[in-house]
Amino acid sequence: MSTTENNQSQPATVPDAPAAEAHAHPGFLALMLGSIGVVYGDIGTSPLYALREAVVAGSAGGAPVRDTVLGILSLIIWALTIVVTLKYVVILLRADNEGEGGTLSLLALAQRAMGKPSRLVLAFGIVGAGLFFGDALITPAISVLSAVEGLKLVTAAFDPYVLPLTIAIIIALFLIQSRGTAAVAGWFGPITLVWFVLLAVGGARHIADDPGILAAFDPRRAVAYLIHGGATGFYVLGAVFLAVTGAEALYADLGHFGRRPIQTAWIVVAFPCLALNYLGQGALILAEPDALENPFFRLYPDWALIPVVILATAATIIASQAVITGAFSLTRQAIQLKLLPRMEVLHTSESHAGQIYLPQVNAFLLVGVIVLCLLFGSSSRLATAYGIAVTGTMVVTASLAIVVAWKHWRWPLAAAVLLMAPFLAIDFIFMAANLLKVVEGGYVSLTVAAIMFAVMATWVRGTDIIAAKARRDDVPLDLLLGQLDRKTTMPIVPGTAVFLTAEKDLAPVSLLHSLKHYKALHEKNVILTIAVAGKPRVPESERVRLEPLVGRFSRVTMTFGYMEEPNVPAALALCRKAGWKPDIMATSFFLSRRSIRPAARSEMPRWQDHLFILLARNAANATDYFRIPTGRVVEIGTQVLI
């Protein structure tokens, strides 16, 4: 497939509201409630482990000291204020690609704004996508583990069952993905809202244990701790960052809920409840130092432990579900943007196009999450692996935002840099702090990101090489059609033939082989090119472009957004408005199936050759991917050396 460019001039201001808000949406309160469930599920479960890990790291095995607890609490509160509120809620939610957010949406917007493909921008996008998959593996593991570990406070007899029960919940979570999340999603908002209320109540009832804990709102406490904490203070930053993991979901889910519902949900519900809970945990730790073993569950009376554990488990499942569906959506975007090979995409809802299921991705995540649970065994050990993936994604997002502000919003480069530089500096500091934990577990995120980077970079490079070979070796379409127009003895058979090609100016390989073997033409012949725009959705008025060519030939260009599923038959129906009335039952689709072999002298390293060939062989069939009726398809094999 080829990518079309759509570089429209934009005013030198930040857009006032994303296009998504112009769409028909449910009521504002319903969107706000939905965003509480989906957008804030991940960050809403951070109190289960974030403060505990930070204070344990800051105490270096000893009893927690007052200045340490206040300094760490101040760091958490101001991290939530600066990173989440200012960077994401106030600024990045405005950097939408026609209403859609997320790393790849930002990549597509940056590439479109640049006017021509940029390998540096593309590399940033690939790194961000790779890091997201690391996050998608770790989030279900650490979230469910930390919730189930609360059972140990009820009785130590539950200790041997924590890991088996966690794995059972995770397996069940991934097994239901194929059934869709429509029914369950309706409960996400209400359950998570109850969870946030529980956070606030649990924290508020313990602030009175030590009212001096409110001094954590003073940013000087955070600064003083970092100055006097030395190497320990810097190390603690890696644990503090656990409190803001999930902030990327604010941006990624922009298209589902719109900017204002997400902003309101954070300011009115999520942020106040999180702050109260962290303050309550801090006050409890100062009043009862032994509560540091599990300060979150110690906020609640013994009689409430089991209900709280059940609700915590439900909240962590919701947080995990949001990350899993995010991985499905990200993969579909990557496929459309030609960063990954075609995969089987199944729709699980007749009314919601965004609810999809990718069996290959689901299997990859299930195996990866179980391996992480078995490898680390506890949420405390797994916490060391968590921060790198999220901090890396945030660095990528901030970097791409500079390009968008410069090229798309038409800001001066200096202004764009000044806008994001403070946030980028904070992201780099958090990343450096998390990199100290590479040996303890951070290697997991880096390994997953490296694997995904290798896969996507190989696919991009391999498809570029094949496209270059096609342009160099194939026959120009104009030349072939001129020859066919002069050949008056060519037999004509009834019906329509559609030849799919990625290069609209070159003769499709399937057409050349059809002429070679059948030595005949159909009554009507269509050269079909499927293009992907740099925007999430394309209106039907722009979906199809029909151009008459020489003789019996026409060219049809179908354009889809990178968040849409290509549906060739449905798009062909739109050709009726252009004067062509295709009969699908009298139409044959000719596709060329490439058999790729490594060349003696390849343009890629040998390992990349074999990886690209493996990816190509396992790519989903074009017939299924483009929804073409299988009974109307003729596939012609060709061999390509790479």
Side-chain angles (χ1 to χ4, degrees), residues 63 158 448 457 621:
F158 279 117
V448 174
N621 190 296

Side-chain angles (χ1 to χ4, degrees), residues 93-138:
L93 283 184
R94 296 175 177 269
D96 67 289
N97 189 352
E98 300 197 7
E100 295 293 340
T103 301
L104 290 185
S105 287
L106 198 60
L107 167 64
L109 181 59
Q111 289 279 47
R112 181 153 55 100
M114 293 284 287
K116 60 180 181 180
S118 168
R119 289 198 174 275
L120 180 61
V121 172
L122 179 62
F124 265 97
I126 291 176
V127 169
L131 288 168
F132 180 86
F133 281 104
D135 183 19
L137 284 175
I138 298 171

Side-chain angles (χ1 to χ4, degrees), residues 18 20-21 25 31 93 99 253-263:
E21 298 207 18
H25 271 320
L31 286 171
L93 283 184
D253 290 315
L254 174 60
H256 294 284
F257 302 101
R259 177 165 59 90
R260 298 196 184 282
I262 293 175
Q263 289 175 325

Side-chain angles (χ1 to χ4, degrees), residues 450-479:
I451 291 172
M452 294 307 303
F453 183 88
V455 167
M456 287 188 275
T458 298
W459 185 253
V460 170
R461 178 64 177 144
T463 51
D464 284 347
I465 291 173
I466 287 181
K469 284 179 176 290
R471 287 190 294 270
R472 185 174 64 244
D473 301 332
D474 286 356
V475 179
L477 181 61
D478 292 343
L479 177 62

Side-chain angles (χ1 to χ4, degrees), residues 202-214 275-277 279-280 283-284:
R205 67 189 295 266
H206 282 279
I207 290 177
D209 293 350
D210 192 328
I213 202 70
L214 296 175
L276 282 171
N277 190 267
L279 290 168
L284 177 63

Side-chain angles (χ1 to χ4, degrees), residues 18 20 69 102 135 161 195 246 252 273 276 301 335 355 379-381 384 390 422 436 500 527 563 566 573 590 595 641:
V69 175
D135 183 19
Y161 303 103
W195 170 251
C273 293
L276 282 171
I335 293 169
Q355 293 189 11
S379 61
S380 291
R381 294 180 61 196
T384 60
V390 185
L436 296 175
L500 269 73
I527 309 299
M563 294 195 71
F590 289 80
S595 175
L641 297 179

Side-chain angles (χ1 to χ4, degrees), residues 303-315:
W303 61 265
L305 272 180
I306 290 181
V308 171
V309 169
I310 293 173
L311 187 57
T313 304

Side-chain angles (χ1 to χ4, degrees), residues 403-421:
V403 178
V404 171
W406 174 33
K407 291 291 187 178
H408 184 65
W409 295 346
R410 306 289 186 183
W411 284 20
L413 178 59
V417 172
L418 285 174
L419 172 70
M420 296 307 301

